[in-house]
Amino acid sequence: MAASPGHPPGHPPGRRSGLPPGPGSGPTPTSVHAERPSRRRFLGLSAALTGAVAAPGLLGACGGTSTASGSGPLQFWNFYAPAPNEDPALLARAGWMHDTVDRWNAENEQQIELVYAPVLGSEKLATAFSAGEGPDIFLISPGDIARYLNGNVLAEITPHLTPEAVDDFFADNLATRMIGDKVYALPMEIEPLALFYSRPAFEAAGLSEGDLPATWDDLIAVSDRLVSAGQGGLVFPTAQDYYQNFVWYPWMWQGSGEVIAGGGRSGFDSDGAVGALRLWKETVDLGLTPRVPPASNDIVVSFSEGYASVWQSGIWSIQDFERKAPDFDYGVVPLPVPDGGEPATVLGGWAFAANAMGRNPDEAARFCAWALGSTDDDGVARVADWCIDAKRDISPRRSSLEYGSQAGGYDNEHMRLFRDEIFPSGRGEPRYPPVIYKAVSDAIQSCQLAGGDPEDQAATAAQAIDAYLTTYEGVELA
């Protein structure tokens, strides 16, 4: 890979300004909003779609009268650029987006225009598509992708990818963006989940590194000791939204539970699902998990102020600590497993997608493939730079993960742990439509906050999922 740590020849460090491109460097990026919500809020906003997108025809209007027809630059809706403020992390991410688009615009007749749109995963994107006004290129998560695939909204990217490029992506993570052997979105990152813990809180409670939880029983015992010693407790999300489901799935998988089992039937009334529901119920019932996450769901503030001691979060929290509390002493451990269970985490992350009904779907798809799937040195480095420079993620490509490792991007103890121990146990984030999301979500909410019985709620959810699957027609829901 690289001739020296950091960057290969012709790919110098520090090339990002984080500023919009200057005159002559392509179309001027535009903005449609002024605030960038967090990843948690993006996934939370998706829950609002449940009622709206259940109707089969919602995305079917994409081929109607569309402002996407005609010439001009292709609009790339994203929630990074132009940067909405001077936060260094946001500037770094915006800089990567600007650099990528500027490079494309310098070499291609079809220009790309960045449009800041912090509404992806909410009604705004779905409404734009249903009105035939969807963006030409946009970011999409696996939790949203099934309905876009079923609505024939996504342009196929495979024709612009070499077999070598497809094989370079981690298969489990790419699979949720595919139908058969055809690729319809390319991941830009992988975001596994783990447990973050406050070392000062552990020390104050008389706990050491040897007490770190490896099993569910350990987790409850350690959380009890922390709370009993006057420290903050264990934080699981309690708001009903896609993010809560996303965070809950690994606990079910650890016990071999599945939302959908073989033969197109629900596997939700299984010991794995019941056990995970019971775990989340018990932590609230025992007073170990607050019903409302502290500090407005801010892990850094919660740890710094002693409101929480253990928190399930993703790799993105590493950069949150770097930005807000670089000197705070925290640790990371893989998610504990039940007795007889297997380690598991979920691999989240956003992907580039092209609108099949846009101004120029073929060029939009080619841009996605070029930006994230190029196999030359610049292409490999571009994906690595997003994951170790602009953000803190696992690269979705083997070559870029190797490059990022050689560049020192995983030398930090937390990044190294995610790469070496947590990521290998991961599964791609499922692509479930809103009806299935809601059945799972209702079961979690009932058990966690309303006193529901885990076995009863698992059975109720399984019945709802089975009823939906009897009439479902669309992509495989894996």
Side-chain angles (χ1 to χ4, degrees):
M1 290 299 301
S4 61
H7 296 265
H11 192 77
R15 58 189 173 83
R16 293 184 182 79
S17 67
L19 300 174
S25 59
T28 302
T30 59
S31 175
V32 297
H33 204 278
E35 176 191 6
R36 179 184 179 272
S38 66
R39 171 182 166 81
R40 181 181 296 108
R41 181 159 182 259
F42 275 120
L43 290 176
L45 287 170
S46 296
L49 288 166
T50 299
V53 304
L58 178 69
L59 296 176
C62 295
T65 57
S66 173
T67 58
S69 61
S71 60
L74 304 183
Q75 289 195 347
F76 181 4
W77 284 20
N78 74 98
F79 39 80
Y80 295 114
N85 58 49
E86 295 300 308
D87 183 292
L90 298 186
L91 288 175
R93 298 170 192 179
W96 185 93
M97 284 286 184
H98 286 303
D99 286 351
T100 300
V101 168
D102 288 351
R103 177 70 176 270
W104 167 274
N105 286 344
E107 299 175 358
N108 292 273
E109 181 178 354
Q110 177 61 71
Q111 301 288 281
I112 307 290
E113 175 186 21
L114 287 165
V115 177
Y116 182 73
V119 288
L120 308 181
S122 74
E123 295 93 334
K124 176 73 175 181
L125 188 64
T127 300
F129 273 109
S130 66
E133 299 176 350
D136 301 287
I137 304 161
F138 59 102
L139 301 182
I140 193 167
S141 75
D144 251 356
I145 201 167
R147 57 198 179 87
Y148 284 87
L149 288 171
N150 290 340
N152 297 317
V153 168
L154 304 184
E156 185 185 349
I157 300 175
T158 326
H160 305 289
L161 294 167
T162 65
E164 176 191 5
V166 175
D167 290 343
D168 194 32
F169 283 86
F170 291 103
D172 271 0
N173 191 58
L174 184 62
T176 55
R177 285 90 169 187
M178 300 178 69
I179 301 176
D181 60 356
K182 297 180 178 180
V183 178
Y184 288 89
L186 278 182
M188 62 193 300
E189 61 199 7
I190 297 177
E191 297 185 318
L193 300 179
L195 283 186
F196 288 68
Y197 66 95
S198 165
R199 285 178 173 142
F202 267 56
E203 182 178 352
L207 295 165
S208 68
E209 298 286 309
D211 296 307
L212 291 174
T215 69
W216 290 6
D217 289 343
D218 293 342
L219 180 61
I220 291 176
V222 166
S223 299
D224 182 61
R225 286 186 61 179
L226 287 162
V227 172
S228 297
Q231 302 302 306
L234 162 68
V235 176
F236 289 139
T238 54
Q240 185 172 24
D241 54 33
Y242 266 105
Y243 180 77
Q244 185 181 47
N245 285 29
F246 168 75
V247 169
W248 181 83
Y249 289 135
W251 305 96
M252 173 187 66
W253 293 336
Q254 290 176 353
S256 300
E258 298 288 348
V259 173
I260 299 175
R265 300 281 296 177
S266 173
F268 202 73
D269 54 349
S270 64
D271 290 344
V274 171
L277 291 172
R278 181 171 290 115
L279 173 67
W280 278 35
K281 172 182 173 63
E282 287 182 357
T283 62
V284 173
D285 290 349
L286 293 172
L288 308 178
T289 294
R291 288 176 170 266
V292 178
S296 300
N297 251 335
D298 190 315
I299 182 176
V300 179
V301 173
S302 294
F303 275 21
S304 300
E305 299 298 327
Y307 302 141
S309 302
V310 183
W311 196 299
Q312 184 185 3
S313 189
I315 192 172
W316 59 85
S317 287
I318 294 174
Q319 193 171 56
D320 291 339
F321 278 100
E322 291 174 353
R323 292 165 53 206
K324 300 178 182 178
D327 296 326
F328 188 84
D329 190 13
Y330 72 95
V332 179
V333 292
L335 298 180
V337 300
D339 290 340
E342 295 291 333
T345 191
V346 61
L347 307 178
W350 296 87
F352 282 22
N355 181 1
M357 309 295 177
R359 291 181 178 86
N360 192 335
D362 190 63
E363 282 295 276
R366 189 167 73 87
F367 167 78
C368 295
W370 170 84
L372 300 178
S374 296
T375 56
D376 59 11
D377 285 348
D378 280 347
V380 170
R382 182 163 46 246
V383 176
D385 284 352
W386 174 257
C387 297
I388 64 170
D389 185 359
K391 290 187 71 180
R392 303 291 180 269
D393 287 325
I394 300 296
S395 170
R397 295 174 54 181
R398 292 177 180 83
S399 61
S400 295
L401 183 59
E402 178 185 351
Y403 170 82
S405 297
Q406 292 180 359
Y410 298 90
D411 289 352
N412 169 284
E413 65 167 305
H414 307 314
M415 290 289 283
R416 185 168 60 250
L417 182 73
F418 269 103
R419 182 196 62 190
D420 296 344
E421 297 186 37
I422 298 169
F423 166 59
S425 69
R427 287 176 50 174
E429 180 182 352
R431 56 184 191 195
Y432 298 141
V435 172
I436 294 178
Y437 144 75
K438 188 64 162 54
V440 174
S441 182
D442 285 346
I444 297 171
Q445 284 286 296
S446 176
C447 294
Q448 192 181 37
L449 301 177
D453 177 76
E455 290 187 0
D456 291 344
Q457 293 304 313
T460 299
Q463 291 172 1
I465 294 169
D466 279 336
Y468 176 73
L469 291 176
T470 59
T471 59
Y472 172 76
E473 295 182 0
V475 298
E476 182 181 359
L477 301 178

